[in-house]
Amino acid sequence: MKERIRLGVLVSGSGTNLQSILDASRAGKIDAEVVVVISNRPDAYALERAKRAGVETVVIESKGFATREDYDRELVKVLKKHNVQLVVLAGFMRIVTSVLIQEFPMRIMNIHPALLPSFPGLHAQRKALEYGVKFSGCTVHFVTEDVDAGPIIIQAVVPVYENDTEETLRERILEQEHRIYPQAIQLFSEGRLKVEGRRVRIINCDEPDNFKIENPVVKVV
Ligand code: GRF
């Protein structure tokens, strides 16, 4: 069996992305295992998911830390204690600092529910709807000190429909998040991600020969 890389997953909320990673790991679809799940919120449902999967959980609340850097020093301590090789942000609602980033350079991934560099920050689905884009999607990227601006690993596109609400768009995007996050982790595990400046080259990647995205998605006479 291939060596499995050790993941530390950081969460704050419901943890559906965490679940997709746990499932892919258990099914042997990725050569990676989640060794610790860290939450800044004690009530995050993601913690239940981790426990159910038999993964160790740690809660580090913001209170008690004077600065973001102090908080991140504690994060680093826990991640190192578990010999984490890749840090996976999965709905972690905190901005991370250079304290964490310098310990794990190009070894921290995040998933964002928009096609970056469009709609960074909070409420990406709402911003996409309000702007009126016809496609949106999600982005897995390496984390650098600029929020939602690190080198892009994988993106997936979804259409925005006429009658979409923030919720329906969120669901459509989430489905793709659950597909591409495990893929990105697997590419990392296989050592196939090569960062060249802003670009992440995927080593040995075949180009599809019949790729088509159409707009509008309904027939207009
Ligand atoms: C996802 O939409 C992700 O893109 C964003 O936060 C949300 C987390 O959802 N970063 P979940 O906790 O994984 O269900």
Side-chain angles (χ1 to χ4, degrees), residues 125-146:
Q125 301 91 336
R126 187 189 307 168
K127 288 177 191 160
L129 274 179
E130 285 173 0
Y131 196 94
V133 292
K134 301 298 184 189
F135 293 103
S136 190
C138 47
T139 304
V140 180
H141 64 93
F142 283 118
V143 172
T144 56
E145 292 187 30
D146 299 319

Side-chain angles (χ1 to χ4, degrees), residues 69-86:
E69 284 76 12
D70 286 348
Y71 183 94
D72 284 3
R73 265 183 275 279
E74 183 63 24
L75 272 183
V76 168
K77 218 192 309 177
V78 175
L79 293 165
K80 293 226 146 171
K81 184 176 146 212
H82 288 84
N83 295 316
V84 164
Q85 294 163 289
L86 177 66

Side-chain angles (χ1 to χ4, degrees), residues 13-18 90-91 110-113 125 174 177:
S14 79
T16 63
N17 277 287
L18 166 67
N110 182 43
I111 189 152
H112 182 75
Q125 301 91 336
L174 259 186
E177 293 184 31

Side-chain angles (χ1 to χ4, degrees), residues 112-139 156-173 177:
H112 182 75
L115 292 174
L116 291 172
S118 292
F119 315 122
L122 294 173
H123 308 301
Q125 301 91 336
R126 187 189 307 168
K127 288 177 191 160
L129 274 179
E130 285 173 0
Y131 196 94
V133 292
K134 301 298 184 189
F135 293 103
S136 190
C138 47
T139 304
V157 179
V158 306
V160 179
Y161 295 142
E162 270 324 296
N163 297 325
D164 264 336
T165 61
E166 206 177 323
E167 189 51 32
T168 57
L169 182 58
R170 196 180 76 86
E171 284 300 321
R172 193 172 309 120
I173 293 172
E177 293 184 31

